[in-house]
Amino acid sequence: QVQLVESGGDLVQSGRSLKLSCAASGFTLDNYAVAWFRQAPGQEREAVACISRLGESSFYGDSVKGRFTISRHNVKNEGYLYMTKLQLDDTALYYCARRRSAGCSGTHLVADYDYWGQGTQVTVSS
């Protein structure tokens, strides 16, 4: 059974850093690209970052470029999102997702991903 479980979400002050983790099971992570999405109340789910199967390429949403870093550890079957300089509008439920392909090129729509975790809440306070 394919599962993705996120962890690491927390309440943090603006300007601080936080690292999210995504533990994958039921499949071999290094066959797929992995991404992080987020969804704030009343807003659509948006792609934050994607990393290709071997980590050789990545994608970042415009709002997080230069602040967030996506990484992966294929031996551990885990993915990570390191977030720095957190801002109030980074507050959202963060999801880990398995991409339908090995790379991150192309669109980053919800339909481009086939398995999702339940999400981990990140709340940034002033």
Side-chain angles (χ1 to χ4, degrees):
Q1 180 182 359
V2 172
Q3 276 194 317
L4 296 167
V5 179
E6 304 93 338
S7 62
D10 205 348
L11 170 64
V12 294
Q13 286 188 318
S14 60
R16 305 296 286 267
S17 301
L18 195 64
K19 183 177 181 180
L20 305 182
S21 298
C22 171
S25 60
F27 69 101
T28 303
L29 190 64
D30 62 10
N31 287 334
Y32 301 90
V34 175
W36 289 90
F37 280 69
R38 68 185 182 185
Q39 187 167 21
Q43 297 188 21
E44 293 188 356
R45 194 170 296 191
E46 65 166 338
V48 173
C50 174
I51 186 167
S52 59
R53 61 181 287 261
L54 298 180
E56 72 275 20
S57 64
S58 58
F59 156 86
Y60 291 94
D62 288 341
S63 61
V64 306
K65 282 180 183 176
R67 300 190 298 123
F68 290 13
T69 302
I70 190 170
S71 62
R72 62 191 296 158
H73 195 307
N74 286 341
V75 174
K76 292 184 178 181
N77 239 31
E78 293 182 348
Y80 311 100
L81 183 68
Y82 185 57
M83 306 182 291
T84 67
K85 301 176 184 177
L86 282 163
Q87 304 168 356
L88 295 178
D89 56 8
D90 292 320
T91 294
L93 190 60
Y94 283 72
Y95 297 92
C96 174
R98 190 182 81 171
R99 192 166 171 82
R100 296 180 186 275
S101 61
C104 292
S105 59
T107 61
H108 292 278
L109 306 174
V110 170
D112 294 323
Y113 295 81
D114 56 2
Y115 285 94
W116 298 79
Q118 293 301 303
T120 187
Q121 179 68 37
V122 174
T123 302
V124 183
S125 65
S126 59

